[in-house]
Amino acid sequence: MAGPIGVGIIGAGNISDQYLTNLTTFPDVKVIAVGDLLEDRAREQAAKYGVPKSGGVDVVLNDPDIEIVVNLTIPAVHIEVSEAIIAAGKHVWTEKPIGIDRESSRRMLEKADAAGLRVGVAPDTVLGPGVQTAKRVIARGDIGRPLFAQTTFQWQGPEIFHPNPAFLYAQGGGPLLDMGPYYVSTLVHVFGPVATVAALGLKGTETRTVQVGPLEGTEFPVEIPSTVSVLMQFENGGQAQSLYSTDSPLRRQGIVEIAGTEGTLVIPDPNTFGGDITITRPLSEMVVPPAPVVQEVVEIEQEGVPSGRGLGLLDMARAIRDGRPHIATGEFGYHVLDTLLSIEEAVASGTFVTVESTVADPGSLGADFDPLAATL
Ligand SMILES: NC(=O)c1ccc[n+]([C@@H]2O[C@H](COP(=O)([O-])OP(=O)(O)OC[C@H]3O[C@@H](n4cnc5c(N)ncnc54)[C@H](O)[C@@H]3O)[C@@H](O)[C@H]2O)c1
């Protein structure tokens, strides 16, 4: 087959704007339909981006020209919707996390395999020039041997911008399952699979209040730990410590520092597609305060074409046509979920938990991968 791949979207909520903005500008994909339980919402989004068809979920599932369906529903129904997509004979690109439990996520992957269909899982930020350049920098030995990482995500919480934030504090949400996929995916790209985790967690408050939109002022329950401190050991011996919190008045997020034997690599926020990348070299001599501590900081040029959400789907679309593996696979998404659930179990048990799954290096996106090129 030649020409762009037909794409449908299920879930016309908050994040659908970013997907629709990007996917409608990639020449290799053609967005044919948008569906949602709330059909008016789907119609509104389709009209805004010039997508020809819209309505309920079946408008997407029954369209013979759609090969890949993007699942932008909430995590609690990710598997149900992904399985419906597979049953309709279409490839799945799903937002993160892949699901909220291991059993149904594994079952969904098996169904896709049996049907000869692909599953791609967000985040695709890790395919952006930021993380991909960092991966190349490490591979060519610029920081020596990577030893450990430190990541921080802390702020007051998503109810400051999200009109329906309750799902972000329900099972399958929380700073760990909502934001963890960005940080853990980045760390697995750099260090490889996770072997063991330990963690502590707390709940800052029992309820939260919607702060924007029609539901402003509505209280909803906090079902999960809203602050989690994590230790991770990777199969290759590397280690990481990570903080995920929506209880911190001080906003500090997107921090990923990777210390190697010869330098510390600071990479961009893993919830973005790129940004500043630096390597800090060790001091050459002792500095005694109040003398300023000035370390050599090397700026690294980002390689790759800037992009946004939809990049992973585009890689999967081109891979389907080329008959090669795509990068953001279901197996990778499963390992990330397995790690996050193991962290939840470590919080509950107060012990180290072994991560049962593993995953091969998913490979890298070439620096010449151009989302705006017409290649199909
Ligand atoms: N909002 C963000 O900033 C953001 C960023 C990155 C990723 N994500 C991910 O994107 C996904 C969607 O998040 P969102 O913020 O857009 O949520 P949202 O609540 O704004 O939108 C979800 C949409 O899915 C629809 N929906 C729910 N169940 C459905 C079903 N069974 N069938 C069809 N439609 C259904 C809802 O009606 C709603 O329109 C989540 O997986 C989230 O983790 C969100």
Side-chain angles (χ1 to χ4, degrees):
M1 288 172 80
I5 288 198
V7 168
I9 292 180
I10 296 180
N14 205 279
I15 201 63
S16 65
D17 278 305
Q18 285 190 31
Y19 272 92
L20 281 158
T21 300
N22 296 330
L23 293 179
T24 52
T25 59
F26 296 164
D28 280 348
V29 302
K30 181 169 169 39
V31 185
I32 294 174
V34 182
D36 198 296
L37 280 181
L38 306 175
E39 299 189 14
D40 283 348
R41 197 179 265 187
R43 276 192 273 275
E44 211 175 287
Q45 287 300 77
K48 193 167 158 190
Y49 294 93
V51 175
K53 299 179 186 173
S54 57
V57 170
D58 286 348
V59 173
V60 176
L61 295 182
N62 294 340
D63 194 300
D65 295 326
I66 292 177
E67 285 182 62
I68 305 175
V69 179
V70 184
N71 181 354
L72 303 184
T73 61
I74 56 172
V77 299
H78 276 177
I79 294 299
E80 172 190 326
V81 171
S82 292
E83 289 191 337
I85 297 167
I86 293 162
K90 301 179 189 309
H91 306 285
V92 176
W93 173 269
T94 178
E95 253 304 328
K96 49 76 190 166
I98 183 172
I100 62 173
D101 67 83
R102 296 181 180 90
E103 295 70 25
S104 67
S105 302
R106 174 54 61 208
R107 185 188 67 214
M108 184 271 288
L109 290 176
E110 283 168 3
K111 284 184 180 177
D113 256 1
L117 295 166
R118 301 211 189 197
V119 176
V121 182
D124 52 1
T125 48
V126 291
L127 302 187
V131 172
Q132 291 294 312
T133 302
K135 233 180 142 171
R136 277 181 220 112
V137 163
I138 291 172
R140 63 177 185 240
D142 289 10
I143 62 165
R145 186 162 54 87
L147 299 173
F148 70 90
Q150 181 159 312
T151 78
T152 303
F153 172 85
Q154 62 170 27
W155 73 319
Q156 66 204 56
E159 61 271 39
I160 194 177
F161 79 92
H162 203 296
N164 288 302
F167 81 86
L168 295 167
Y169 290 92
Q171 293 302 333
L176 184 64
L177 261 85
D178 184 44
M179 298 308 295
Y182 298 107
Y183 294 84
V184 174
S185 298
T186 299
L187 294 172
V188 174
H189 265 275
V190 169
F191 287 96
V194 183
T196 317
V197 295
L200 293 172
L202 63 79
K203 207 188 269 187
T205 54
E206 290 297 327
T207 61
R208 296 266 179 159
T209 307
V210 182
Q211 291 180 16
V212 294
L215 299 177
E216 188 180 339
T218 313
E219 271 198 15
F220 58 89
V222 177
E223 293 178 6
I224 40 65
S226 42
T227 295
V228 185
S229 305
V230 183
L231 292 177
M232 296 168 52
Q233 169 102 48
F234 298 90
E235 285 180 15
N236 75 356
Q239 298 178 356
Q241 66 177 62
S242 299
L243 175 65
Y244 302 100
S245 178
T246 49
D247 291 311
S248 169
L250 173 63
R251 182 184 189 278
R252 185 184 291 135
Q253 3 179 299
I255 294 172
V256 179
E257 298 167 353
I258 299 155
T261 49
E262 288 163 36
T264 294
L265 180 67
V266 178
I267 71 174
D269 184 339
N271 188 14
T272 65
F273 285 76
D276 294 339
I277 306 177
T278 59
I279 296 176
T280 301
R281 298 293 178 201
L283 290 168
S284 50
E285 57 183 27
M286 179 61 186
V287 182
V288 180
V293 179
V294 181
Q295 290 192 253
E296 183 194 355
V297 178
V298 184
E299 287 182 18
I300 307 290
E301 200 181 326
Q302 271 193 131
E303 300 155 0
V305 181
S307 191
R309 289 193 162 83
L311 180 63
L313 175 145
L314 180 62
D315 171 56
M316 189 169 89
R318 289 179 178 171
I320 289 169
R321 284 283 195 271
D322 294 349
R324 63 163 170 89
H326 59 284
I327 297 176
T329 59
E331 285 305 326
F332 191 92
Y334 181 87
H335 179 66
V336 171
L337 174 70
D338 190 18
T339 300
L340 296 172
L341 295 177
S342 300
I343 292 169
E344 282 192 341
E345 288 153 13
V347 171
S349 68
T351 59
F352 279 87
V353 172
T354 301
V355 178
E356 296 294 338
S357 64
T358 187
V359 70
D361 181 351
S364 299
L365 203 65
D368 57 351
F369 188 96
D370 182 359
L372 297 180
T375 71
L376 300 180

